[in-house]
């Protein structure tokens, strides 16, 4: 059948999320997600259990001058096989209004300007019934005024009732031929999800970023007293893996670390 989701968000200049990261300030966002799905007739001997056709559409507008900062249209075709494997083919056309230039890394930067870019993606997600579940995404197309080719993958391994291991990697090759710019990035990720019982759980996440030569770790302890009542301990730490950078003082091994304590209580009437 036909499904849709419409949304509107307004965020003023004084909004401070405190917990989490909000990449934009003083903006309005419109959302329109549309899709149609159906189950092929069993008599057709189709290999697919379910098929989706749809489009995810978003626009971000700056409140002070009502200028469009980002617009995105992403039509997609998603196929779920009878074994539970999901294939998704999508195309993303995006508009970016860059008012302040920024650097991606050594040898690559994004200057001020307005950009249109179209990128295609092919994604495969393993069936949840598989004992080891690999997911792979390949992307290729425009990137601002250059091009990008990327591969992202992760493998999920439930080792038992109390522990799940997720290992992943991401590689992006970005080129700006007209400006003779080049940029490659590699990310390595490892996640451990553990649960002693329904009340106590611990998640540990580590990521290495080749661009910044930093290893980032995040450890979260959660105790659930009852439904809607949780206690959290969150430890974040950043480590410099390359401490000797030419032209700068020797970097410390520890880049930053924070400890966050949080308690949440939800009243349900």
């Amino acid at each position: 059948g036909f499904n849709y989701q419409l949304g509107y968000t307004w965020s003023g200049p004084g909004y401070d999320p405190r917990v989490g990261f909000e990449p934009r300030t003083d903006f309005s966002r419109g959302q329109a997600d549309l899709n149609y799905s159906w189950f092929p007739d069993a008599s057709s001997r189709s290999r697919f259990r379910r098929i989706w056709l749809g489009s995810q559409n978003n626009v971000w507008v700056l409140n002070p001058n009502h200028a469009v900062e980002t617009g995105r249209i992403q039509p997609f075709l998603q196929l779920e096989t009878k074994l539970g494997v999901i294939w998704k083919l999508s195309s993303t056309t995006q508009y970016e209004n860059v008012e302040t230039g920024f650097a991606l890394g050594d040898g690559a930067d994004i200057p001020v300007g307005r950009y249109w870019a179209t990128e295609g993606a092919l994604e495969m997600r393993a069936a949840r019934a598989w004992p080891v579940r690999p997911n792979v995404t390949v992307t290729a197309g425009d990137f601002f005024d250059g091009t990008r080719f990327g591969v992202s993958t992760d493998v999920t391994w439930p080792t038992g009732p109390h522990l799940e291991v997720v290992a992943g990697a991401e590689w992006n090759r970005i080129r700006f031929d007209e400006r003779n710019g080049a940029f490659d990035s590699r990310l390595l990720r490892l996640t451990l999800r553990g649960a002693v019982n329904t009340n106590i759980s611990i998640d540990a996440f580590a990521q290495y970023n080749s661009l910044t030569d930093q290893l980032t770790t995040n450890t979260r302890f959660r105790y659930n007293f009852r439904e809607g009542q949780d206690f959290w301990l969150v430890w974040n730490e950043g480590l410099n893996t390359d401490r000797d950078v030419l032209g700068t003082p020797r970097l410390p091994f520890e880049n930053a670390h924070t400890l966050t304590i949080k308690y949440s209580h939800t009243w349900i009437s």
Side-chain angles (χ1 to χ4, degrees):
F2 178 71
N3 296 279
Y4 67 90
Q5 179 176 344
L6 305 176
Y8 176 79
T9 303
W10 182 89
S11 178
Y15 172 65
D16 184 359
R18 295 292 179 181
V19 178
F21 174 68
E22 178 61 69
R24 305 172 194 264
T25 59
D26 202 7
F27 69 93
S28 299
R29 172 179 177 254
Q31 174 189 0
D33 295 343
L34 315 169
N35 74 80
Y36 182 83
S37 64
W38 69 94
F39 298 89
D41 193 334
S43 62
S44 66
R45 297 183 180 179
S46 172
R47 296 182 180 180
F48 302 108
R49 189 185 76 87
R50 192 175 184 184
I51 301 174
W52 289 263
L53 273 174
S55 181
Q56 297 173 320
N57 313 288
N58 293 273
V59 61
W60 287 263
V61 177
L62 299 174
N63 291 331
N65 57 9
H66 305 291
V68 175
E69 183 179 33
T70 302
R72 182 184 304 139
I73 301 174
Q74 186 183 64
F76 67 87
L77 168 65
Q78 183 168 303
L79 308 169
E80 180 183 356
T81 70
K82 292 180 179 179
L83 296 177
V85 178
I86 294 177
W87 294 89
K88 184 177 181 180
L89 179 65
S90 63
S91 173
T92 302
T93 298
Q94 185 158 315
Y95 167 80
E96 289 284 356
N97 180 13
V98 180
E99 296 186 341
T100 303
F102 59 94
L104 292 173
D106 293 338
D109 62 281
I110 304 299
V112 174
R114 294 179 173 89
Y115 301 93
W116 283 96
T118 300
E119 185 176 58
L122 177 62
E123 178 182 356
M124 188 281 287
R125 284 182 281 167
R128 293 193 61 83
W130 290 7
V132 178
R133 303 192 298 269
N135 302 319
V136 180
T137 302
V138 179
T139 58
D142 302 326
F143 184 77
F144 293 92
D145 60 334
T147 58
R148 174 171 63 179
F149 176 79
V151 178
S152 176
T153 181
D154 64 76
V155 178
T156 302
W157 178 34
T159 62
H162 301 291
L163 179 64
E164 182 178 77
V165 180
V166 183
E170 182 177 341
W171 172 69
N172 286 286
R173 178 186 183 276
I174 299 172
R175 296 293 182 267
F176 303 97
D177 293 335
E178 295 184 359
R179 298 189 279 115
N180 295 321
F183 170 71
D184 289 351
S185 70
R186 290 168 295 278
L187 295 176
L188 300 176
R189 297 181 293 266
L190 179 65
T191 303
L192 303 178
R193 301 189 182 111
V196 178
N197 49 43
T198 57
N199 301 103
I200 301 174
S201 63
I202 300 175
D203 290 356
F205 171 80
Q207 175 177 280
Y208 169 72
N209 188 334
S210 67
L211 174 62
T212 59
D213 281 315
Q214 287 187 348
L215 177 67
T216 304
T217 62
N218 171 276
T219 305
R220 290 174 290 174
F221 169 85
R222 173 179 178 252
Y223 185 83
N224 175 247
F225 296 93
R226 58 181 63 88
E227 186 68 26
Q229 190 175 355
D230 296 286
F231 173 77
W232 297 82
L233 281 175
V234 182
W235 175 259
N236 293 291
E237 186 163 19
L239 305 176
N240 292 307
T241 59
D242 185 5
R243 302 173 61 187
D244 299 306
V245 180
L246 185 64
T248 64
R250 194 165 195 259
L251 298 174
F253 179 62
E254 290 187 339
N255 181 50
H257 50 263
T258 60
L259 175 64
T260 303
I261 301 174
K262 178 183 176 182
Y263 173 79
S264 65
H265 193 124
T266 303
W267 285 268
I268 303 176
S269 56

